Amino acid sequence: QVQLVESGGGLVAPGASLRLSCEAQGGTLGRMAMGWVRQRPGKEREIVAAVAWHGAAPYHADAVKGRFTISLDNAKSATYLQMNALKPGGTAVYFCVAAATFADIRNFDIGYWGQGAQVTVST
């Protein structure tokens, strides 16, 4: 059974950078889309970034556009989220997700969830 395993969370100061990694274990994802969903304290889950299996035209939420970048390694069924210029508002649990299509992620029709990685942005 496929499991998504995340790494790279932690505590950083405002303005710092952090890179989250996620790799499928126990199988491959084939042509599934992958993405990142976060849940900030007291807020609903929101899609941060998503990318189709071919890697073209990735999606980034307006709140992170220009600072966060999603990338994909199909050979490893892995995705990465490079987060630059982090703000305190970026404090959240970040979940790696996979779905049949890019549109499914955008619609929160998620097939696989990672366990979540805590990112805390604070002085």
Side-chain angles (χ1 to χ4, degrees), residues 2-5 22-29 34 76-78:
V2 173
Q3 290 185 317
L4 301 181
V5 179
C22 169
E23 188 167 343
Q25 296 184 0
T28 62
L29 296 177
M34 298 188 78
K76 296 181 178 180
S77 286

Side-chain angles (χ1 to χ4, degrees), residues 11-97:
L11 170 64
V12 296
S17 297
L18 205 58
R19 186 179 190 236
L20 300 180
S21 300
C22 169
E23 188 167 343
Q25 296 184 0
T28 62
L29 296 177
R31 293 189 172 190
M32 295 187 82
M34 298 188 78
W36 294 89
V37 171
R38 71 181 179 186
Q39 185 158 26
R40 295 181 286 175
K43 303 287 187 180
E44 293 186 355
R45 291 182 177 182
E46 57 183 338
I47 298 168
V48 176
V51 61
W53 68 271
H54 47 70
Y59 164 82
H60 297 87
D62 287 343
V64 305
K65 199 171 291 183
R67 297 185 298 116
F68 290 14
T69 303
I70 187 171
S71 59
L72 193 66
D73 184 339
N74 278 323
K76 296 181 178 180
S77 286
T79 184
Y80 309 94
L81 187 66
Q82 178 66 41
M83 303 184 291
N84 297 329
L86 280 161
K87 303 177 181 179
T91 294
V93 178
Y94 286 75
F95 298 91
C96 173
V97 298

